[in-house]
Amino acid sequence: MALHSAVTAVTHHIPGFIRQPAEALIGPKCYTSLVYDFDLSDVDCLKYALSKGLGLGIVLGGGIVKIPQIMKIISTKSARGLSLSAYILETASYAISLAYASRNHFPFSTYGENFFLTLQNVAITLLILHFSTSSVRADTRKPLTSGQNRSSTGKVVAGLVVAITSGFFLSSSSLCPPRALAFLQAVTLPLSLSSKVPQILSNYSNGSTGNLSAFAVFNALLGCLARLFTTKQEVNDPLIFWGFAGAAVLNAVIAAQMVMYWNKGEGVGAGRRVRAEEGLGEASPMRKVPTEQQPRRWGRKLD
């Protein structure tokens, strides 16, 4: 009782600039119960406050989670190991879920990170398109031709146009009626799951995760796990819940691959190519034989 009295003596005099954001986050009822009256026996409000806190953390994390991946691609000027098809499918899934939640007026704390993830995924997809030609050309150690530069720029522009057009379509109730949007949201369940499969297969075939960001992978896994709780607590929409459940499983597989291939460099596939090239080099007829290994030639001395 003494502790409770001491705490409430503080909580009853919390200044408005702190109280108002807290009330906006967890609601006046739960603020009064949990903070003002310091009643920790209110289980419903505890769950709700935990859900809101997790949701806010996920939204804030979603704003930066893929920045390291973007910076890694830019700094290395390579998208090696990143699956273009995986990012296209994942971006489409994020965009549809964002439109579905926004147009159904779900609490922003339950889907806000989708807004940031969609923008970051669009950026990564455009970078993959831009550097895909550069990466192939880098393998041959030859400079890019003007035609290849134009091709790379054309791909980026086309990708940007598709992204903007898709966003406009999903946000318009006249172009995409609620029933059609609900159908698309149902489609995101297999779409979200299939978006992870190309990346998993790419990691497996290369024996490496390439330029995949560990920060992005592990945060995606933790975010999906947290979203299972917040979705169940605040939205309880089976379409969204099972989408996060499936994504969590496949994100766990990618995280496991990240651990398995942590120090594999360019991967098993790259190692095989290097060994094959070395083998061809040894068999090449143009390769010079060291002088000391050349057969000794005998000739008759002329008088």
Side-chain angles (χ1 to χ4, degrees):
M1 292 295 294
L3 176 61
H4 185 271
S5 299
V7 173
T8 53
V10 175
T11 59
H12 286 182
H13 298 90
I14 292 177
F17 70 90
I18 297 177
R19 183 184 68 254
Q20 290 171 4
E23 285 182 342
L25 180 63
I26 63 176
K29 176 180 177 295
C30 285
Y31 176 86
T32 300
S33 176
L34 295 178
V35 181
Y36 189 84
D37 294 334
F38 194 58
D39 181 11
L40 299 182
S41 63
D42 190 340
V43 178
D44 289 338
C45 275
L46 279 175
K47 289 182 178 179
Y48 186 72
L50 177 60
S51 175
K52 284 295 186 182
L54 284 173
L56 179 61
I58 295 170
V59 171
L60 294 176
I64 62 170
V65 67
K66 299 207 174 188
I67 297 298
Q69 181 69 79
I70 294 173
M71 299 305 296
K72 193 171 185 179
I73 297 173
I74 293 173
S75 63
T76 60
K77 292 182 172 57
S78 170
R80 182 183 58 83
L82 275 69
S83 170
L84 176 61
S85 58
Y87 270 95
I88 290 175
L89 291 172
E90 187 178 66
T91 305
S93 176
Y94 282 147
I96 293 170
S97 295
L98 173 63
Y100 180 79
S102 176
R103 287 174 54 179
N104 280 282
H105 307 291
F106 291 160
F108 186 74
S109 61
T110 64
Y111 72 90
E113 79 280 4
N114 270 2
F115 172 74
F116 300 108
L117 290 173
T118 301
L119 293 180
Q120 291 170 85
N121 260 30
V122 168
I124 292 172
T125 303
L126 295 179
L127 285 171
I128 294 174
L129 288 172
H130 175 69
F131 286 117
S132 59
T133 304
S134 302
S135 298
V136 172
R137 198 65 177 173
D139 291 340
T140 64
R141 294 182 175 86
K142 294 180 181 178
L144 288 172
T145 65
S146 59
Q148 287 171 324
N149 276 322
R150 286 195 298 271
S151 174
S152 177
T153 303
K155 289 178 182 178
V156 173
V157 172
L160 189 59
V161 170
V162 170
I164 294 173
T165 304
S166 300
F168 183 74
F169 170 78
L170 291 171
S171 62
S172 172
S173 57
S174 57
L175 295 175
C176 184
R179 184 173 295 181
L181 185 60
F183 171 76
L184 290 175
Q185 178 60 35
V187 171
T188 60
L189 180 55
L191 187 66
S192 176
L193 299 182
S194 61
S195 71
K196 308 293 180 185
V197 174
Q199 187 64 65
I200 291 172
L201 294 177
S202 176
N203 295 342
Y204 177 76
S205 63
N206 292 330
S208 166
T209 52
N211 265 7
L212 202 60
S213 168
F215 180 82
V217 169
F218 288 107
N219 274 275
L221 173 59
L222 294 175
C224 283
L225 294 175
R227 271 291 172 234
L228 290 175
F229 177 78
T230 61
T231 301
K232 189 71 174 177
Q233 186 66 32
E234 298 185 54
V235 178
N236 200 22
D237 188 317
L239 289 177
I240 298 179
F241 179 84
W242 288 111
F244 281 123
V249 171
L250 294 182
N251 276 328
V253 174
I254 297 176
Q257 289 181 320
M258 181 68 69
V259 174
M260 290 170 57
Y261 303 138
W262 191 261
N263 293 315
K264 295 287 183 163
E266 296 216 350
V268 176
R272 287 173 181 164
R273 287 194 298 272
V274 170
R275 287 194 295 272
E277 290 169 2
E278 290 175 349
L280 288 173
E282 292 170 359
S284 174
M286 300 299 293
R287 186 179 180 185
K288 288 187 177 181
V289 180
T291 306
E292 61 271 20
Q293 294 180 4
Q294 290 181 359
R296 188 173 180 181
R297 296 180 181 178
W298 298 91
R300 183 179 176 182
K301 184 178 179 181
L302 297 176
D303 294 331

